[in-house]
Amino acid sequence: MRTEKNWAKEMLMHFETYIGLIAFLYITVVLTTQVVGRYVFGHSWAWIEETSIIGYVVLIYCGVSGAVTTRQNMRIDMVLSIVPFKPKKTMMILDTVIHAAFSAWLSYFMYQIILNMMVLKQVYSVTRMPRIYVYIFIAVMLVLSVIRAVQEVIKLAKEQEHELGKAKPAFDLDAIWEEGKRVREAYLAEHPEAGKERNK
């Protein structure tokens, strides 16, 4: 049964996934509104296009970090499927280290861009929101991607052959269903009268 502590840990481990989900829902809602407004009412809003682009950037960089945690990064498995366990583990760890190094390298250049933007004080043309906020978010997601890669290397180093590199989705609907089923069964075991009322 999920406890408060486990729930908090789950949120922390999939922090970027949930932010990406919110960004995706936002983009879906506002772009649907834009399409309906334009083709049904003959009116569109400039701020929707601008904020949708910002939302799309947020979604992309949440995905960069979230894909490491859920092991959804694109890779060619042809070689991995034919090599023995130890070389396979070494290759997967090396792949993750390269990802971390590339994200760290990008973070450095993003930091330089942020320093320049602090001087230029650029804003978006419609919403007038400072552009620096989006670039700071990108830098944070890249640093988080490095942290996730370090966590992944530690996890891979401990895994045995039968579990090596197995992906677990952030939203495991089967696991949620099974957990709900266990909770219902436990509740009915403690309160049999609830089951009788339901069957009436």
Side-chain angles (χ1 to χ4, degrees), residues 17-18 21 169-174 176:
T17 308
Y18 296 119
L21 175 62
F171 303 105
D172 192 341
L173 297 179
D174 291 333
I176 293 169

Side-chain angles (χ1 to χ4, degrees), residues 4 59 61 72 84 87 114 120 123 138 172 174-175 178 181 184:
E4 194 81 18
L59 183 61
Y61 283 92
Q72 301 297 324
I114 289 168
L120 297 173
V123 295
I138 293 170
D172 192 341
D174 291 333
E178 288 300 319
K181 189 177 176 183
R184 284 191 298 274

Side-chain angles (χ1 to χ4, degrees), residues 53-187:
I53 292 169
I54 294 169
Y56 192 62
V57 171
V58 168
L59 183 61
I60 288 170
Y61 283 92
C62 283
V64 170
S65 178
V68 179
T69 307
T70 56
R71 294 178 169 174
Q72 301 297 324
N73 275 335
M74 291 183 68
R75 62 161 62 110
I76 300 171
D77 290 338
M78 185 175 66
V79 176
L80 290 175
S81 61
I82 59 174
V83 295
F85 168 62
K86 286 187 178 178
K88 181 178 180 180
K89 179 186 272 194
T90 304
M91 289 169 71
M92 291 179 79
I93 289 172
L94 183 61
D95 174 60
T96 309
V97 169
I98 291 170
H99 172 87
F102 184 69
S103 295
W105 180 72
L106 284 178
S107 301
Y108 170 75
F109 286 102
M110 194 57 61
Y111 173 70
Q112 298 296 325
I113 292 170
I114 289 168
L115 290 179
N116 288 334
M117 297 198 89
M118 287 173 72
V119 176
L120 297 173
K121 300 187 187 305
Q122 294 178 331
V123 295
Y124 286 97
S125 56
V126 179
T127 60
R128 310 307 295 171
M129 184 181 87
R131 288 176 180 263
I132 193 170
Y133 294 156
V134 176
Y135 285 89
I136 288 171
F137 180 84
I138 293 170
V140 169
M141 285 297 111
L142 288 171
V143 171
L144 185 59
S145 180
V146 175
I147 294 168
R148 296 301 193 205
V150 171
Q151 291 173 331
E152 179 65 10
V153 167
I154 294 167
K155 200 185 300 180
L156 283 168
K158 293 177 181 177
E159 286 182 350
Q160 300 303 315
E161 188 169 3
H162 67 281
E163 60 184 351
L164 182 67
K166 287 190 176 177
K168 183 182 177 184
F171 303 105
D172 192 341
L173 297 179
D174 291 333
I176 293 169
W177 176 261
E178 288 300 319
E179 186 176 345
K181 189 177 176 183
R182 284 195 300 273
V183 170
R184 284 191 298 274
E185 288 172 355
Y187 179 80

